[in-house]
């Protein structure tokens, strides 16, 4: 059995903060967590906040800085990573091999791709790791479960694609919700009311899809009556696969940028 009791978060910005919030809301004891962040104003009650990375024994170190800061912070973080420490990295595009060269003493290294829904325990969490046996992987899964749904990928090669989906996807969804509201506003609905209705529509649709035995495509078909108003709108979105092609282009751009950041991090 692998115990992951002592957690250090290095860099607690938007994503690291969302994970911290999710852990605390999910019942993780605040005393288990230390945050090292020079700019964080204050930590939640019971969580230790330090300005520099402490030299101490941690079971888990979560690396949450910006990817371009990896080389700058690695010398500061390395002393906190002992032979029993598992390194979790949420640095977009930074590969396991790159992390291993910076943190050779880590027991295991796991790339994690969450999104901001970790704060409410509803994030997908794509995982890819090295150096861990099944017990170690199970321990990491258990640690992350309060944040949402951990999914171990068959290959790290999929990480850039999953980053485009699970990491960037919320922004794409928010854009679509905003577009729904803008469409309603163009038809005469007041802007603030259109935004409330669009958000409620997206929330209800997502919750229903999550609990349904049917996939989203089938649910869309069931909402649309032949010759009805919904089908008229779907005909526009489906023409020449307009929506699919637009989303594919957005995800391809995101995947490409994730890969570029990985090349920058490894110096080529």
């Amino acid at each position: 059995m692998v115990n992951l009791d002592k957690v250090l978060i290095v860099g607690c910005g938007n994503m690291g903060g969302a994970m911290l919030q999710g852990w605390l809301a999910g019942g993780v004891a605040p005393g288990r967590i230390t945050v090292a962040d020079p700019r964080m104003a204050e930590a939640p009650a019971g969580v230790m906040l330090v300005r520099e990375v402490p030299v101490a024994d941690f079971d888990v170190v979560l690396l949450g800085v910006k990817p371009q800061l990896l080389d700058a912070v690695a010398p500061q973080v390395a002393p906190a990573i002992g032979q029993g420490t598992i390194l979790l990295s949420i640095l977009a595009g930074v590969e396991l091999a790159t992390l291993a060269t910076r943190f050779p003493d880590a027991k295991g290294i796991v790339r994690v791709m969450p999104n901001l829904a970790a704060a409410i325990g509803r994030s997908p969490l794509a995982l890819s790791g090295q150096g861990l046996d099944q017990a170690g992987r199970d321990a990491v899964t258990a640690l992350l479960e309060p944040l949402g749904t951990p999914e171990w990928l068959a290959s790290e090669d999929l990480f850039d694609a999953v980053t485009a989906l699970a990491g960037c996807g919320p922004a794409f969804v928010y854009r679509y919700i905003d577009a729904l509201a803008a469409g309603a506003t163009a038809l005469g609905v007041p802007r603030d009311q259109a935004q409330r209705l669009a958000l409620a529509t997206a929330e209800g649709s997502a919750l229903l899809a999550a609990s349904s035995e049917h996939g989203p495509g089938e649910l869309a078909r069931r909402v649309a009556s032949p010759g009805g108003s919904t089908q008229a709108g779907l005909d526009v979105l489906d023409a020449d696969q307009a929506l699919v092609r637009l989303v594919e282009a957005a995800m391809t751009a995101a995947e490409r940028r994730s890969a570029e950041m990985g090349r920058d991090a490894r110096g080529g």
Side-chain angles (χ1 to χ4, degrees):
M1 181 177 179
V2 179
N3 293 317
L4 303 180
D5 292 328
K6 296 176 63 178
V7 178
L8 171 66
I9 301 175
V10 180
C12 201
N14 290 337
M15 193 62 252
M19 295 177 74
L20 173 60
Q21 184 178 342
W23 271 322
L24 297 177
V28 174
R32 291 174 55 188
I33 302 175
T34 299
V35 173
D37 192 305
R39 296 182 180 85
M40 190 176 186
E42 61 180 352
V47 174
M48 179 178 291
L49 174 61
V50 296
R51 298 307 177 189
E52 297 181 351
V53 177
V55 179
D57 292 327
F58 291 97
D59 301 314
V60 173
V61 172
L62 172 65
L63 196 58
V65 300
K66 296 182 182 301
Q68 57 267 34
L69 296 179
L70 174 61
D71 284 334
V73 303
Q76 304 168 40
V77 176
I81 298 178
Q83 293 184 352
T85 305
I86 295 175
L87 176 69
L88 304 183
S89 169
I90 59 173
L91 277 60
V94 179
E95 298 162 338
L96 292 170
T98 299
L99 294 164
T101 62
R102 272 66 168 186
F103 308 103
D105 292 335
K107 175 182 179 180
I109 300 175
V110 180
R111 291 180 67 182
V112 185
M113 177 48 63
N115 63 41
L116 292 177
I120 57 171
R122 300 301 294 269
S123 173
L125 298 116
L127 309 175
S128 183
Q130 67 179 41
L132 295 178
D133 58 16
Q134 190 58 49
R137 288 164 62 100
D138 291 345
V140 170
T141 299
L143 177 67
L144 295 175
E145 279 178 340
L147 309 182
T149 306
E151 292 273 355
W152 288 91
L153 303 183
S155 168
E156 188 185 9
D157 293 340
L158 296 172
F159 222 88
D160 291 330
V162 174
T163 295
L165 173 60
C168 307
F172 304 155
V173 173
Y174 300 148
R175 274 283 194 264
Y176 187 73
I177 295 171
D178 204 39
L180 281 176
T185 300
L187 296 176
V189 180
R191 177 69 178 171
D192 59 341
Q193 191 171 49
Q195 288 187 324
R196 289 195 301 272
L197 290 171
L199 182 58
T201 298
E203 180 183 27
S205 300
L207 289 172
L208 179 60
S211 63
S212 175
E213 62 180 316
H214 303 292
E218 174 60 16
L219 289 174
R221 189 192 68 77
R222 287 171 177 251
V223 172
S225 300
S229 56
T230 302
Q231 189 59 55
L234 288 177
D235 288 344
V236 174
L237 295 178
D238 294 342
D240 297 322
Q241 291 193 307
L243 181 59
V244 171
R245 289 190 292 109
L246 180 63
V247 173
E248 284 181 352
M251 292 183 66
T252 297
E255 180 190 34
R256 184 181 302 119
R257 180 56 186 146
S258 180
E260 289 171 353
M261 289 190 292
R263 287 193 294 271
D264 290 344
R266 66 176 179 262

